[in-house]
Amino acid sequence: MEYKPYVPGGVSELLDFLAHLRLSSPTFKDETGYLRQMNIDTTFFSLNEGLLVLRKKLGEERYTTLRALSDKMRALFKSDPDDKTGDTHAGRMLAHEMEDILRSVGKRTTAK
């Protein structure tokens, strides 16, 4: 069976995915053996595709900001695969920053 990466389809799903991302960083390897193909590439594919799905809802400025944070976070995780230099922690802080931006979108849409 071919591995098909999960793509978050809503703001709440992206928030959940970012929580998963923080917990499984920096390598994103599945310890259970069920998702052997899961890695940094498939994880950031999922994140970026989820952002793309929500691009219209996010607005161009937020989308661009979130995508830049995603790219920076990926680079930090790749540079610290053993979680020893502090880059993994910095990447996790970017995930928190992304969550704050996404929560502001959720608040904006529920306030209407």
Side-chain angles (χ1 to χ4, degrees), residues 4-72:
K4 191 172 182 181
Y6 166 72
V7 176
V11 172
S12 64
E13 290 180 29
L14 265 174
L15 288 168
D16 290 344
F17 190 79
L18 284 166
H20 153 74
L21 186 143
R22 282 194 326 274
L23 293 172
S24 62
S25 61
T27 62
F28 307 97
K29 293 199 174 153
D30 175 51
E31 300 296 325
T32 67
Y34 289 105
L35 302 171
R36 289 185 299 269
Q37 296 90 343
M38 192 170 75
N39 56 42
I40 194 166
D41 295 326
T42 58
T43 299
F44 278 90
F45 172 84
S46 295
L47 176 60
N48 292 331
E49 287 297 305
L51 291 172
L52 194 56
V53 166
L54 292 173
R55 187 176 194 164
K56 185 176 178 181
K57 184 174 188 173
L58 295 169
E60 203 56 37
E61 186 177 332
R62 276 192 195 96
Y63 170 79
T64 302
T65 300
L66 289 165
R67 184 56 203 254
L69 289 169
S70 171
D71 292 344
K72 187 174 181 181

